Amino acid sequence: MTREEKSIAIEVLTAQLAGTNIIYVSDISGMNAESTTNLRRACYKAGVKLEVVKNTLLAKAMEASANDYGELPSILTGNSAIFISEIANAPGKIIKDFRKKSAKPLLKGAYINAEVYIGDDQLDALATIKSKEELIGELIGLLQSPAQRVIAALQNQFAKSEEVTEEVEA
């Protein structure tokens, strides 16, 4: 790879990093072609972009980025692949489901909304993170619950007052 090709690759990676707040870095070394293809298919179905990257280029792109990736560049050893997603838990779920059949991919680390997670032991926590849509749905449910109770109580009270009015008129 020439110096010019490397600088272009770094610019492309920097642009990709700037366009998202959710990045998982994993080790996919030792995976055969069939397993890699199956992983790519699972990512495609979930709307997750999977890309194998050179560690030095990714580290330089992280340095050039406006985001603070903390210790994430220090874990870039061996073969690395990045998962880029709009949903925080999607890559974690894919990796966790895929690991039911094989030992790889291993999670090296993740960057999710300015938080850095290092190590494969974080996978369970990352796979269970609630997405923005799930949190909004829960919040709306919680906010509607008291209002629904008030409306039901008012309707019940209104129905009782109508019954009393009908009895008095009769």
Side-chain angles (χ1 to χ4, degrees):
M1 196 177 240
T2 66
R3 207 176 271 248
E4 187 176 315
E5 290 172 334
K6 286 180 184 178
S7 66
I8 291 171
I10 291 169
E11 288 176 22
V12 169
L13 278 171
T14 304
Q16 285 178 334
L17 295 178
T20 186
N21 286 324
I22 300 161
I23 300 160
Y24 283 61
V25 181
S26 69
D27 178 8
I28 62 168
S29 64
M31 291 179 61
N32 61 25
E34 181 183 356
S35 296
T36 305
T37 301
N38 291 338
L39 180 61
R40 287 184 186 278
R41 282 189 187 130
C43 288
Y44 180 77
K45 286 179 185 175
V48 176
K49 183 178 180 183
L50 172 65
E51 188 174 334
V52 177
V53 294
K54 287 188 170 259
N55 292 326
T56 54
L57 300 181
L58 182 58
K60 287 181 181 181
M62 286 180 173
E63 288 174 14
S65 175
N67 296 333
D68 179 20
Y69 292 100
E71 296 177 36
L72 211 52
S74 67
I75 61 159
L76 297 175
T77 58
N79 293 339
S80 296
I82 56 172
F83 295 77
I84 298 174
S85 177
E86 294 296 319
I87 301 171
N89 63 359
K93 285 181 179 179
I94 290 169
I95 293 170
K96 192 171 180 177
D97 288 343
F98 206 81
R99 294 260 298 271
K100 290 176 183 175
K101 300 170 195 159
S102 67
K104 298 278 180 149
L106 293 174
L107 179 69
K108 290 182 177 184
Y111 174 84
I112 301 172
N113 298 325
E115 295 289 325
V116 177
Y117 302 87
I118 304 291
D120 193 57
D121 57 333
Q122 300 288 324
L123 183 60
D124 289 334
L126 293 173
T128 57
I129 288 176
K130 294 194 183 220
S131 69
K132 182 179 178 181
E133 291 77 20
E134 290 170 332
L135 289 173
I136 290 172
E138 284 184 12
L139 183 61
I140 289 172
L142 289 172
L143 292 174
Q144 285 180 340
S145 181
Q148 288 173 340
R149 284 191 218 138
V150 169
I151 291 170
L154 290 173
Q155 288 174 338
N156 189 22
Q157 190 66 28
F158 182 71
K160 285 182 182 178
S161 66
E162 282 184 353
E163 289 175 9
V164 171
T165 306
E166 289 175 5
E167 287 178 8
V168 172
E169 290 177 357

